[in-house]
C-alpha cells in the first residue's frame, strides 16, 4: 500500500515549487545552500518540464533531472516529483492539433499557455501515460523521492472541452452511467421542448444554443468533464503505483470556492494518497483570512479529517488579479501557520526563486528578484525555523465543533441558466454562514449531505438546491436523534437530475423542517425587507423571500413588509430529540449571527464570547499531545484563555493563565496532560 505521508520526510514540509530549468546550473549550488539556510525540507520539481524531458517524440533527456535529484538528495531536500502532463510540448500539438480543447462556442484554443488539454483525446492520453512511465522507471526508487505529483491544478483554467472526441466519449459515459437511451430521456426530461433522443449517437455536448440548454444535460456534462479529468489522473497514478511501489501519489487541489468550481473534490479526495491543496488570497474586499480558514477547513474535510498538505501559496503578492497587494509584515507566517492549525502538515509555496521571464514573473517567491537582502527572504528564513519548531504536531488532527454541508453537484446545478434569481449565489451563502460561524470562534468541518453527521451537535446547510432523497433522510434522522440543523432558502428543490421533487417545496426537507413553501418571491436589485420578532426586534434582508406555510414549525421571525408581509421568515421545528431551523430570506451579518446564536443554544455548544474578533483558536490532537493554536489577525495584542498550562513551541516559554498573543502573531501551546 502507498504511504499517506511523504516518504522519508520526518519533519513538517517546508519549501516550494522549484523550477531550476529556468536558470543556469551555476545557480543550483546557490539554491541548495539557501534552501539549507531557510530550513527547506521538500521541493516540487518537474511539473512544467515535459518539453525538456522529451524534446522530440520518443527522445528523452533526463541528464539535467538526474543531476538535480542527486544534488537535492545530497543536501537533504526531499522531492515531490511532478509528471509534466499539464503542459504537452509544442511538437505534440503540432502533430495532434485536435488535442487542444474547444469551447462551447466552437473556438479551439491555441498553444502558448498551460493546461490547454482535451482530456478525451486519445493521443494526449497515450503520450501522458508514456512520459509518466519513463519518469517512474527512472526515478521510482530514487532516494530523494518523497512523493509523486500528477499534472497540476486539474480544472484550472480549462475543465470541459466540446470537440467531437469529447462528444463520442460523452456518449460512452452516458451508456455506462444510464445503460439505455430511454433512461437518459427519463433523467433529462427530454419530453420538454421536444428534445427526445432515439439513439445515444444523436447526443452531443451542450454546445451553444439559441436559448437555455437542457439543464440536466448540462449538469451531466459537468459530471462527465470532471470524471474524464479524473480518469487521466487515475491512469497516471496507477502507473506510478505499479512502477514506484510504496511512494504516495497526489495532485494539487484548489478547494477554495473562490478558485475552482469544476471539480468534485469529495470524489477526488478518495483517489489521492495524500490530499494537497493550493490556496491564494483573493483581493476582493473580503476578510482574506476568513477565506483562508474556510479553504483549509474544506481541504481537511476532503481528506476525511486526516492531515493534508498545503502545496502552494504565496510569500507576498500574486500577479493574476487586477490589483495584487503585497502581504503585510508577518502575514506570510500568519497565513502559513493558520493552514497548519487547520490540518496541514507543512507550508509550501509557489515558487522557490522568482522568475525573470514568463507570465508569472511578478508573482512573489521565496527568493525574490531582490535576493536575500529583502524583507520577504528574512521572513522566509524566520518561517522555516517556526515550521521546524512545530514538527512534533505532524500527524495530529484538527478538532471541529460544527459541520457545514457542501456539494459541488448542487453548486453546478444551481449555477445553470434560468433560475429564479441571478442574485442568489451558493458560494456567497456558504461564505456568509462560514464567516458567521468563524466569528463565533467555532471550527468547521465540511461534509457531504449523505455523510454520517452524528458526531456534530450543529449542522448548517447554507445552499443545497440539489438534494437526493438519501440526503433528506439523512438530515431527518440526524435531527430525530438529537441534532440541531440550520437550513437556508432554496434548498431541497431538485433531485440529482435537476428534476423538481414531487410535491411542495422543499422536497425531502418538508418533514424535518415542518413546513412547505408555496412560492418563491425573489427581490429586485436594491429591494429590501424587514423581518421582526415577537419582541419587536427588526433585522434587514434582501435578494430572496418565500411564502412559507408552517406545518408543525413555529414562526420565530416574520416578514414585516413586501409581498410576504405577515408570513414566517425564520422558523423552528422540534422533531424527535432535535431541532431544525429554516431561514427563507438572505439575512445580513447581524441576522445570521442572531440565527446561529439561537441554534448554538439549541445545540448546547459552549459560548466563546471571551475571544476577540479575528483571533482564531484551533486545536490539533494526536498521540504526541494536544496543541492550541492562537492566531491574532488584528493590530492589537490579545489574550487567549488557557484551560490548562503548557509549553509555547515557537518561543519555548511556559504558558499559563491567559496566553498573550501579540498583534499579528501566532502562538502554539502544547497543553500539559
Amino acid at each position: 500500500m502507498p504511504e499517506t505521508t511523504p516518504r522519508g520526510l520526518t519533519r513538517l514540509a517546508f519549501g516550494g515549487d522549484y523550477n531550476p530549468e529556468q536558470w543556469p546550473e551555476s545557480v543550483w549550488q546557490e539554491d541548495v545552500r539557501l534552501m539549507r539556510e531557510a530550513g527547506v525540507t521538500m521541493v516540487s520539481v518537474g511539473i512544467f518540464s515535459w518539453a525538456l524531458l522529451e524534446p522530440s517524440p520518443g527522445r528523452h533527456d533526463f541528464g539535467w533531472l538526474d543531476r538535480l535529484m542527486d544534488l537535492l538528495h545530497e543536501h537533504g531536500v526531499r522531492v515531490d516529483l511532478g509528471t509534466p502532463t499539464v503542459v504537452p510540448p509544442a511538437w505534440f500539438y503540432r502533430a495532434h492539433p485536435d488535442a487542444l480543447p474547444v469551447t462551447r462556442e466552437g473556438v479551439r484554443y491555441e498553444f502558448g499557455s498551460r493546461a490547454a488539454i482535451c482530456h478525451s483525446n486519445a493521443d494526449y492520453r497515450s503520450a501522458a501515460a508514456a512520459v509518466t512511465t519513463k519518469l517512474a522507471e527512472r526515478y521510482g526508487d530514487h532516494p530523494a523521492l518523497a512523493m509523486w505529483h500528477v499534472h497540476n491544478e486539474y480544472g484550472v483554467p480549462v475543465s470541459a472541452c466540446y470537440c467531437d472526441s469529447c462528444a463520442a466519449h460523452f456518449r460512452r459515459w452516458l451508456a455506462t452511467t444510464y445503460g439505455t437511451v430511454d433512461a437518459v430521456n427519463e433523467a433529462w426530461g427530454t419530453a420538454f421542448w421536444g428534445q427526445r433522443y432515439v439513439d445515444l449517437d444523436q447526443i452531443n455536448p451542450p454546445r451553444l444554443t439559441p436559448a437555455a440548454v437542457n439543464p440536466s444535460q448540462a449538469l451531466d456534462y459537468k459530471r462527465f468533464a470532471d470524471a474524464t479529468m479524473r480518469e487521466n489522473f487515475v491512469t497516471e497514478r496507477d502507473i506510478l503505483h505499479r512502477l514506484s511501489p510504496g511512494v504516495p501519489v497526489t495532485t494539487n487541489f484548489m478547494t477554495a470556492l473562490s478558485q475552482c468550481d469544476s471539480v468534485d473534490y469529495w470524489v477526488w479526495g478518495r483517489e489521492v494518497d495524500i490530499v494537497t491543496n493550493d490556496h491564494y488570497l483573493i483581493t476582493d474586499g473580503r476578510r482574506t483570512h476568513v477565506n483562508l480558514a474556510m479553504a483549509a477547513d474544506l481541504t481537511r474535510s476532503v481528506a476525511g479529517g486526516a492531515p493534508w498538505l498545503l502545496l502552494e501559496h504565496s510569500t507576498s503578492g500574486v500577479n493574476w488579479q487586477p490589483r495584487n497587494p503585497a502581504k503585510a509584515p508577518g502575514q506570510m507566517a500568519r497565513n502559513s501557520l493558520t493552514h497548519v492549525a487547520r490540518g496541514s502538515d507543512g507550508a509550501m509555496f509557489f515558487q522557490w526563486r522568482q522568475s525573470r521571464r514568463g507570465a508569472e514573473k511578478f508573482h512573489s517567491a521565496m527568493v525574490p528578484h531582490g535576493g536575500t537582502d529583502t524583507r520577504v527572504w528574512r521572513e522566509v528564513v524566520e518561517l522555516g525555523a517556526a515550521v521546524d519548531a512545530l514538527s512534533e504536531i505532524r500527524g495530529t488532527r484538527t478538532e471541529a465543533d460544527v459541520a457545514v454541508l457542501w456539494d459541488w453537484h448542487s453548486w453546478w446545478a444551481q449555477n445553470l441558466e434560468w433560475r429564479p434569481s441571478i442574485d442568489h449565489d451558493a458560494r456567497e451563502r456558504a461564505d456568509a454562514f462560514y464567516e458567521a460561524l468563524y466569528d463565533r470562534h467555532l471550527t468547521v468541518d465540511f461534509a457531504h449531505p449523505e455523510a454520517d453527521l452524528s458526531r456534530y451537535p450543529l449542522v448548517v446547510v447554507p445552499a443545497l438546491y440539489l438534494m437526493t432523497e438519501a440526503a433528506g433522510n439523512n438530515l431527518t434522522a440526524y435531527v430525530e436523534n438529537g441534532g440541531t440543523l440550520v437550513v437556508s432558502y432554496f434548498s431541497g428543490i431538485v433531485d440529482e437530475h435537476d428534476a423538481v421533487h414531487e410535491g411542495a417545496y422543499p422536497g425531502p426537507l418538508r418533514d424535518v423542517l415542518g413546513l412547505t413553501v408555496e412560492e418563491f418571491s425573489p427581490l429586485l436589485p436594491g429591494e429590501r425587507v424587514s423581518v421582526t420578532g415577537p419582541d419587536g426586534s427588526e433585522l434587514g434582508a434582501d435578494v430572496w423571500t418565500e411564502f412559507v406555510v408552517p406545518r408543525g414549525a413555529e414562526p420565530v421571525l416574520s416578514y414585516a413588509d413586501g409581498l410576504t408581509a405577515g408570513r414566517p421568515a425564520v422558523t423552528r421545528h422540534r422533531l424527535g430529540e432535535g431541532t431544525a431551523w429554516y431561514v427563507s430570506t438572505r439575512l445580513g451579518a447581524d441576522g445570521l449571527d442572531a440565527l446561529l446564536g439561537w441554534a448554538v443554544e439549541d445545540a448546547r455548544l459552549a459560548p466563546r464570547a471571551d475571544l476577540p474578533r479575528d483571533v482564531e483558536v484551533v486545536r490539533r490532537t494526536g498521540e504526541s499531545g494536544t496543541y492550541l493554536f492562537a492566531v491574532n489577525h488584528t493590530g492589537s495584542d490579545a489574550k487567549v484563555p488557557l484551560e490548562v498550562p503548557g509549553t509555547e513551541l515557537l518561543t519555548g516559554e511556559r504558558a499559563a493563565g491567559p496566553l498573550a498573543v501579540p498583534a499579528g502573531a501566532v502562538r502554539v501551546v502544547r497543553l500539559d496532560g
Side-chain angles (χ1 to χ4, degrees), residues 305-339:
W308 54 280
L309 180 56
L310 176 66
L311 209 54
E312 286 185 28
H313 71 312
S314 66
T315 58
S316 191
V318 297
N319 72 310
W320 36 262
Q321 298 181 90
R323 297 164 188 83
N324 300 284
K327 290 185 177 180
Q331 188 179 359
M332 178 205 309
R334 195 163 62 251
N335 289 167
S336 301
L337 298 181
T338 298
H339 284 290

Side-chain angles (χ1 to χ4, degrees), residues 269-281:
R270 298 193 293 267
E271 298 292 350
V272 297
D273 300 324
I274 304 172
V275 167
T276 63
N277 195 53
D278 298 351
H279 181 264
Y280 294 96
L281 302 180

